[in-house]
Every structure is written in C-alpha cells, then in structure tokens.
Amino acid sequence: MDFNLTDEQQMLLESVDEFCERYFTEDVVKKMYEDHGMPQEIAEAYRDAGFGLMGIPEEYGGIPMDRVTIGLMIERLYQKSGCMHILYQNSLSMFDIMEFGTEAQKQEAMDHYMETGWPIASLSISEPGAGSDNRSMTTVAKKQADGTYKLSGQKTWVTMGEKLPYTIVVAKDEDPSHDNGNMSLWFVKMDTPGVSTAPLHKIGQQCIPFCEVYLDDVVLTEDQREPGKGFMMLMKNFEVERSYIVAEQVGLAQAALEDAAKYANQRIAFGKPITRLQMIQELLADMEIKVQNTRNMLYKTLWMMDNDQPVQLESAMLKRYGCKACWEVADSALQIYAGLGYTTEVRVGRLWADMRGNM
C-alpha cells in the first residue's frame, strides 16, 4: 500500500485550496444559505477550473480521472469550503448520462454544462415509500396503443429538480407491483405536460434545493427511454454516490475537527486552555480516529472500483459507518464549543445540521 500522493494529485489539491479560498469566504457561504442556492459565478469558475469535467470521457470534452483522485478532490473541496454545497453532487447526473445515455443526450448534456456551468438533468430515483428498497418503487411507464408511453408516479429528494431542464427518471415497465424488477430510464424534460414539483424544506443543507417531482400521465416517446437499464443504473449509482457522499462527509468532518481543536486551544477555563482537560482530549482523539477510519475505508473502496473489483458490500458498509462517524465528529465539535456551538456565530452548527442529512 502506498499512501503517498502523486505530483499531479498534490497539484490538484493545491488548486482546490486556491479555488475555495477565493470563492468560499464565510460571508459568501452565509449568503448562500440565506438565498438557498449558489452564485452563478462559482458554478462557472468550478467548470472553468476543470473540476466539473473530471471523470467524464475525453471524447466528450471531459478529463479522464481515476476514482481515488476524484475522491481526493471532493474531500478537499468540502473541507476547504466548509459547507454542504451543490457543486460535486450534481456531477453524478453527468456520470449517469455518460454511462447510460444516447450519443445525442451525451452531447446535449456536455453542451449545456459548458454553456451554463450546471448539469442538464437531476436524478429522480427515491420515492416516498422506496429509498434503497428499489423494488418498492411504484412509478411506472405503460405503453399505449399509439406507441407512446404514459409515465405516472412520484419521486422525492430530487436534488436541483426545480432548477435543471431535465430529470432522469427510474420507472418500472408496465407493472408497478413489488414483484416486477423490470425498470427503464427516462430522459424527461421538466416542462412536459403532467410534470410538476413541490419544494422540500429541510433543517440542513440550506443551499442545496430539493424537491418532489409528480408525474401525472406524462406522455413520452421511445427515444426518451433506455429500456432495461433502470436497475443497473440504481446499483451503479448507489455504489458511486455512496462513496462520493462519504468523501464530502470526510471533508466536512475534517473541517469540524480543525475548528474544534483550534477553539479548544484558545478557550480558557479555570485558568488554562480546555485542551488540558482530559474529557476534551478524549473527544478530540475519538474525532481523529473516526475521520481516519472513514478516510481509510473510503479510499480502499475507491481503489477497488478503479481496479474493477466488486464493491457492493464495501460501499454499503462505507455509507453505513462513514456518514454516522463523520456526523459524530461534528456533534463532538459542537460539544467542545458548548453554548457557542449552538449559535450561528460559528460554523460547526451548520456543519452538524448539513452532515446529519447524509446519514
């Protein structure tokens, strides 16, 4: 095992540091949370820096990249920005389009991204009664006598669903029953008749808009469909998404740990810094252990992906352990700050609320 970074990886992380120092000042982040979104300038700068092109095939204008290096970039991006923002999460839809889309859809997606700085589509996967239990999905597409399809159902936790022009819907073919495992992908334009949305109001992740998507007899054509690939997309999406979400969590946990350690060295109680207190020392030690454990699990899983090894078990364990462990780091950071941590004067409370949403 070699834990050294390559020269290219080190240069990438330095570029991420410079990007975050310039664009993610605390004043900007607070404004993002108030406005429930991200300035266009940041999205375009992220695109222009090439971060949003990492992992996309070169023939479509992307930058081929191994998953370990992408994970390093994500971790550092969220550590240095110190907030749960939208930038990397929406690249997941680009990966899915590149994996499952038609040539025309791939080119349209890249043209849209290069023009706007935003992905072309959200992902409509989860349902009120079906999260990881994909067999319980009831969204269904039924073929009509004229050769068109009618798509009906409800999706929830759709990231940026109200902001992006398309959504990628996973739906069952013909029969919504639990026993039916046949699913297809649908590339649906959000202004299609029968498509409507409603915002979801959350206690954290305030600068990432989520919504519900309602599909009421939406008429679609065969060219909008990728038959039989819905279940495959779910499985591949879960493995990759789980890993990169944990990379975000590790970055935010590292930020919370650094904030707490710095504060503990400055906070004087009973005539000495509270880092002299055994309870604080134990909290900080346990926080460091959880960050390092999660980081090791993360990069092992990404390394396995890069080497074409199955990671269904590893990615599930990583999500189960890593998201909770990293949130516990933020929870301990809030505890070290005591009453101050429960105010908006410092960012650990924001990190705590944001990270809780990924458990």
Side-chain angles (χ1 to χ4, degrees), residues 101-116:
T102 65
E103 290 300 313
Q105 290 167 349
K106 293 175 185 178
Q107 194 58 58
E108 184 181 6
M110 281 303 299
D111 291 345
H112 178 84
Y113 181 69
M114 295 308 295
E115 179 181 350
T116 67

Side-chain angles (χ1 to χ4, degrees), residues 294-331:
T294 305
R295 184 178 286 125
N296 288 334
M297 290 181 69
L298 168 65
Y299 291 109
K300 177 189 175 184
T301 302
L302 294 175
W303 178 88
M304 291 176 68
M305 287 186 193
D306 284 334
N307 286 273
D308 297 320
Q309 297 182 22
V311 294
Q312 185 175 3
L313 176 62
E314 283 76 13
S315 63
M317 291 192 302
L318 174 65
K319 178 69 164 56
R320 168 67 179 88
Y321 173 81
C323 284
K324 181 180 180 182
C326 288
W327 175 78
E328 289 172 348
V329 171
D331 191 57

Side-chain angles (χ1 to χ4, degrees), residues 29 42 70 111 128 140 183 206 222 229 253 265 301 342 345:
V29 172
I42 298 180
I70 294 174
D111 291 345
V140 63
M183 305 176 191
Q206 292 297 326
E222 186 68 39
K229 293 186 177 180
N265 278 316
T301 302
Y342 204 64
E345 297 300 312

Side-chain angles (χ1 to χ4, degrees), residues 27 76 95 107 133 157 180 185 200 206 210 218 223 255 262 264 269 296 319 324 336 339:
D27 289 342
R76 185 63 68 92
F95 292 160
Q107 194 58 58
D133 179 15
W157 296 113
N180 181 23
L185 302 180
L200 287 168
Q206 292 297 326
F210 286 72
V218 180
D223 63 339
K262 182 178 179 180
N296 288 334
K319 178 69 164 56
K324 181 180 180 182
I336 288 172

Side-chain angles (χ1 to χ4, degrees), residues 57-332:
E58 191 172 12
E59 58 264 33
Y60 299 104
I63 303 173
M65 193 71 64
D66 61 276
R67 290 183 177 88
V68 167
T69 301
I70 294 174
L72 289 167
M73 187 276 289
I74 297 170
E75 179 188 341
R76 185 63 68 92
L77 178 67
Y78 285 84
Q79 175 193 346
K80 294 300 183 179
S81 62
C83 69
M84 181 66 74
H85 52 73
I86 197 64
L87 283 178
Y88 194 76
Q89 290 184 0
N90 274 320
S91 292
L92 291 172
S93 67
M94 296 291 291
F95 292 160
D96 288 330
I97 291 172
M98 292 297 153
E99 179 78 23
F100 301 106
T102 65
E103 290 300 313
Q105 290 167 349
K106 293 175 185 178
Q107 194 58 58
E108 184 181 6
M110 281 303 299
D111 291 345
H112 178 84
Y113 181 69
M114 295 308 295
E115 179 181 350
T116 67
W118 300 105
I120 197 171
S122 61
L123 298 176
S124 291
I125 298 176
S126 296
E127 298 183 8
S132 297
D133 179 15
N134 52 79
R135 281 275 190 168
S136 293
M137 284 184 180
T138 57
T139 298
V140 63
K142 296 184 178 182
K143 194 169 187 177
Q144 307 301 299
D146 63 358
T148 63
Y149 294 80
K150 282 190 176 179
L151 179 65
S152 300
Q154 178 182 348
K155 297 294 184 176
T156 191
W157 296 113
V158 181
T159 309
M160 293 284 284
E162 294 181 305
K163 304 292 185 181
L164 302 179
Y166 287 87
T167 190
I168 299 172
V169 179
V170 180
K172 290 188 173 181
D173 299 334
E174 301 300 330
D175 177 14
S177 69
H178 187 276
D179 293 336
N180 181 23
N182 297 318
M183 305 176 191
S184 293
L185 302 180
W186 296 91
F187 199 54
V188 181
K189 201 166 185 178
M190 292 301 292
D191 61 4
T192 305
V195 179
S196 59
T197 63
L200 287 168
H201 303 287
K202 313 181 300 298
I203 62 173
Q205 302 186 17
Q206 292 297 326
C207 64
I208 307 178
F210 286 72
C211 73
E212 294 188 306
V213 174
Y214 304 99
L215 306 159
D216 299 313
D217 289 336
V218 180
V219 178
L220 301 172
T221 55
E222 186 68 39
D223 63 339
Q224 295 174 268
R225 180 189 184 210
E226 283 295 312
K229 293 186 177 180
F231 184 79
M232 186 189 306
M233 175 190 165
L234 284 171
M235 294 301 98
K236 291 182 71 70
N237 179 280
F238 283 159
E239 291 175 358
V240 175
E241 182 179 14
R242 284 167 175 164
S243 299
Y244 289 152
I245 283 176
V246 173
E248 296 173 3
Q249 293 278 104
V250 173
L252 295 173
Q254 185 68 48
L257 172 58
E258 290 172 358
D259 284 2
K262 182 178 179 180
Y263 177 76
N265 278 316
Q266 296 172 343
R267 175 74 168 95
I268 304 299
F270 306 105
K272 58 186 178 183
I274 61 173
T275 45
R276 302 278 187 87
L277 303 175
Q278 184 176 359
M279 183 182 74
I280 300 298
Q281 293 172 357
E282 289 179 350
L283 278 174
L284 290 169
D286 288 343
M287 292 161 72
E288 181 69 36
I289 290 168
K290 289 172 182 176
V291 170
Q292 290 203 27
N293 280 345
T294 305
R295 184 178 286 125
N296 288 334
M297 290 181 69
L298 168 65
Y299 291 109
K300 177 189 175 184
T301 302
L302 294 175
W303 178 88
M304 291 176 68
M305 287 186 193
D306 284 334
N307 286 273
D308 297 320
Q309 297 182 22
V311 294
Q312 185 175 3
L313 176 62
E314 283 76 13
S315 63
M317 291 192 302
L318 174 65
K319 178 69 164 56
R320 168 67 179 88
Y321 173 81
C323 284
K324 181 180 180 182
C326 288
W327 175 78
E328 289 172 348
V329 171
D331 191 57
S332 294

